[in-house]
Amino acid sequence: MKLLINVFLILLIFGVLTVVSQIGGLVFLLAIPIYRLIDRKTNGMWRRAVFKFFSFAMLYLMFVFIVVPLVARQFGRVPLPILETNYLKPATIWTVLLNRNYVKPQLKEIAYKVSIKLNATYPGAKVNYLEANFPFVDGFPLLPHLSHNDGKKLDLSFQYNSSITNKISYGVPSFTGYGVCEEPLANEQDMPGYCREKGFWQYNALRVLIPQDNKAKFTFDKGRTRTLVDLFAEHESIGKIFIEPHLQHRLGLTSSKIRFHGCHAVRHDDHLHVQLK
Ligand SMILES: [Zn+2]
């Protein structure tokens, strides 16, 4: 019975870590001999738990920062920068720690070019990237995103100012980067309302789940966000861009690459999605 429970727990932890970070489950399995050694050499349940946690964490970080980037490159995906590079940075470090920052080299190059041009147009501006793809295997889902499974997809934050200083803000209103929305105004097309009425509960799920406390500290910058979208759209190899219809209209975006993503996806008035052809 104890063996069965142990196997179940190992499978559960493996499954969760794999879904969340792709390689976390594998690292957990690789660390099992270390856990056995700790069990043999250490007394006390808490002491053992602490040693096991830190040994896993060290091995995991070694994979995230050294092993995975080297191996992923051989399979045609590269990580977006951990620290700000060419005015491009992760909105949250968790995107990097969970290996959700991998793209095809071409998309990384475009993201850099766009960030550099945005900064040249609006001195001081930077681009916050959100979730991209996992490092390995076409078709491996990056949950909860429907299509981020081939190295060709990238989410980005909108451009914000601090509502306190009125200067460019380098942060984002949501701790995940998602779920704090530029809602449709009374005279604008309301696709979130339409999809809700049609029964697509997931369309607005993040808006409901994510705390909105920081929203008042940020103001949406129309000009910089419009330029950000246009700079991606002007690249030949960008195939589609997703942004909520009311924002497309509000920003005056005219690129034919901008599409409505459908009610089966999630709302895109909290972030921007770009993808390669
Ligand atoms: Zn996306």
Side-chain angles (χ1 to χ4, degrees):
M1 190 64 185
K2 198 181 167 196
L3 180 68
L4 264 182
I5 293 172
N6 276 344
V7 170
F8 174 75
L9 279 178
I10 286 173
L11 286 177
L12 182 70
I13 295 171
F14 172 81
V16 170
L17 290 173
T18 303
V19 166
V20 170
S21 68
Q22 195 179 47
I23 60 120
L26 177 71
V27 175
F28 176 73
L29 294 184
L30 289 174
I32 286 178
I34 304 174
Y35 306 149
R36 297 246 161 88
L37 191 70
I38 291 169
D39 281 338
R40 278 208 303 276
K41 303 271 182 197
T42 319
N43 293 321
M45 195 178 76
W46 287 110
R47 227 174 131 83
R48 281 176 179 168
V50 169
F51 280 140
K52 284 178 187 175
F53 174 79
F54 280 106
S55 58
F56 169 77
M58 277 172 62
L59 195 62
Y60 179 78
L61 292 176
M62 202 175 84
F63 268 76
V64 167
F65 291 115
I66 300 168
V67 179
V68 174
L70 287 174
V71 182
R73 191 173 292 274
Q74 312 305 316
F75 290 89
R77 293 192 200 172
V78 289
L80 292 172
I82 301 162
L83 301 172
E84 185 197 319
T85 309
N86 295 329
Y87 312 107
L88 180 69
K89 68 183 193 66
T92 156
I93 192 64
W94 286 103
T95 309
V96 173
L97 292 177
L98 298 176
N99 306 299
R100 290 168 168 251
N101 61 328
Y102 281 80
V103 290
K104 289 188 177 291
Q106 190 185 19
L107 186 50
K108 181 172 180 174
E109 205 177 298
I110 291 173
Y112 276 156
K113 282 183 180 166
V114 166
S115 306
I116 290 168
K117 267 196 173 178
L118 186 80
N119 182 273
T121 314
Y122 297 97
K126 295 172 187 177
V127 175
N128 278 306
Y129 73 82
L130 300 172
E131 301 209 315
N133 312 262
F134 280 136
F136 305 114
V137 191
D138 280 356
F140 192 104
L142 181 113
L143 296 176
H145 304 269
L146 290 178
S147 67
H148 289 226
N149 61 5
D150 54 6
K152 295 180 177 179
K153 317 290 165 42
L154 175 61
D155 287 349
L156 300 134
S157 293
F158 294 150
Q159 291 286 308
Y160 296 100
N161 297 317
S162 161
S163 51
I164 299 156
T165 63
N166 278 332
K167 291 187 175 153
I168 292 176
S169 169
Y170 300 124
V172 290
S174 157
F175 74 97
T176 64
Y178 296 90
V180 177
C181 303
E182 282 308 309
E183 317 263 356
L185 303 173
N187 59 347
E188 289 180 329
Q189 190 178 7
D190 183 7
M191 287 314 280
Y194 172 81
C195 293
R196 190 187 307 117
E197 274 171 28
K198 291 282 172 195
F200 293 94
W201 61 271
Q202 92 299 331
Y203 198 78
N204 295 291
L206 288 174
R207 164 73 181 77
V208 176
L209 291 170
I210 297 291
Q212 304 288 310
D213 312 356
N214 281 336
K215 187 169 181 170
K217 295 179 192 158
F218 292 83
T219 49
F220 177 67
D221 190 292
K222 282 203 297 189
R224 292 203 323 270
T225 304
R226 179 171 52 233
T227 306
L228 178 66
V229 177
D230 283 339
L231 286 173
F232 272 103
E234 75 185 24
H235 278 272
E236 166 65 24
S237 28
I238 291 294
K240 287 180 194 165
I241 296 175
F242 295 153
I243 188 168
E244 208 60 34
H246 70 270
L247 289 182
Q248 179 184 2
H249 190 258
R250 194 189 298 174
L251 300 183
L253 296 166
T254 53
S255 167
S256 60
K257 294 179 179 178
I258 298 169
R259 311 280 166 80
F260 177 56
H261 37 277
C263 287
H264 60 283
V266 294
R267 61 193 288 175
H268 281 69
D269 55 357
D270 57 344
H271 74 283
L272 179 71
H273 168 108
V274 300
Q275 64 184 67
L276 291 176
K277 280 181 181 161

